[in-house]
Amino acid sequence: MAKFKSIDKMLEKKHPALTIAFLGDSVTQGCFEIYKTSENTFETVYDYKSAYSTRVREILNILYPSVQVNIINSGISGDNVVNGNYRLEEDVLKYNPDIVVVSFGLNDSVSGLDNLPNYKNALSSIFTRLKERGIEVIFLTQNFMNTKTAPAILFDDFFRGLAEMFANVQNSGILKAYFDQAKEVCLEHGVSVCDGYHVWETMQNAGVDTTALLANDVNHPIREYHCYIAIKLIEIILGL
């Protein structure tokens, strides 16, 4: 795997700088635990410093201490790929990034298999627009949602309802279908894939309780997983 051309361009500059933008949903944004704010609403714990985008910058600062690394975190909780395509110009392209990491699927998949064509078309549009600007792109497939209802939320009707809905999407293969579709679109557009979903499949097959690796018991991975993903993204960027 060859390293991204952005790295060579960065090192050729007298005052080297690298800008990486991250476009996605709550996982990209850095959302973790959730808590109720009223009977039927909830809020999430925002922890930007633990998000994989921040970890990418920290690693690059270690590897290239003289380089100015700019991180644009354009993750929005609850977002989907159609809206991501809509806000691409304002939230990503105006910053002239060298590299963009795109990650959608969790929220899209809740709409079921009938939504797959919309997902495919919006993702294809994002890749086309980024490639037209000469921007290097990585698509990050996401984590599992819960496969069962965690004991911590078993006795809360609202959170149990969320868990049951997400578990159905996960266990029925709908989420996997979305990421399989995404990888096909990536192949068509020559986009690199960081296949996080495959990691969760491998863990499940090895007997790991993947639901225990979710900070909110439904769809936000624990902070340690963000560190792992940051390393895998760096490996792709450096061609390791």
Side-chain angles (χ1 to χ4, degrees), residues 6 120 131 171 180 192 198 216-217 223:
S6 301
K120 175 182 179 180
K131 290 285 188 174
N171 296 332
D180 285 345
S192 299
H198 177 67
N216 64 349
D217 295 319
R223 290 162 177 79

Side-chain angles (χ1 to χ4, degrees), residues 2-3 27 35 41 55 64 68 82 120 127 132 141-143 146 168 173 175 178 182 184 196 225 228:
K3 69 176 178 292
V27 179
Y35 56 94
T41 60
R55 299 306 186 194
Y64 302 101
Q68 173 63 44
V82 172
K120 175 182 179 180
F127 292 160
E132 287 175 348
T141 65
Q142 296 172 293
N143 50 276
N146 60 296
N168 177 63
L175 184 58
Y178 272 77
E184 290 182 12
Y225 180 70
Y228 172 80

